[in-house]
Amino acid sequence: MNQNIGKYIIFIGGILILIGIVIYFFADKLHWFGRLPGDILYEKGNTRIYFPVVTMILLSLLLNLIIYLIKKFF
């Protein structure tokens, strides 16, 4: 195994721990996430279909920024 793979796994684990901590302690303050204007909710009878369009665009931009910063500094 390559040492770089180990470093990446540790880094990804650290990021997952940070995300878990944020969700655990700030879940009540993140209720807006997934309910942004532009997210589509279709309800009819017993059927509910949810398309989180704007939420996924925002998440994609955030992840792209994180990946860009990781590539730039590492």
Side-chain angles (χ1 to χ4, degrees), residues 19-30:
I19 291 171
I21 290 171
V22 167
I23 290 172
Y24 183 77
F25 288 110
F26 299 107
D28 57 338
K29 294 183 178 35
L30 295 173

Side-chain angles (χ1 to χ4, degrees), residues 52-69:
V53 178
V54 176
T55 301
M56 290 298 107
I57 291 172
L58 182 66
L59 188 61
S60 175
L61 289 172
L62 181 66
L63 289 174
N64 278 316
L65 176 66
I66 291 169
I67 290 170
Y68 170 76
L69 292 174

Side-chain angles (χ1 to χ4, degrees), residues 39-51:
D39 290 346
I40 300 168
L41 176 63
Y42 174 77
E43 292 184 68
K44 186 171 185 179
N46 292 334
T47 305
R48 179 182 288 174
I49 301 173
Y50 181 64
F51 299 104

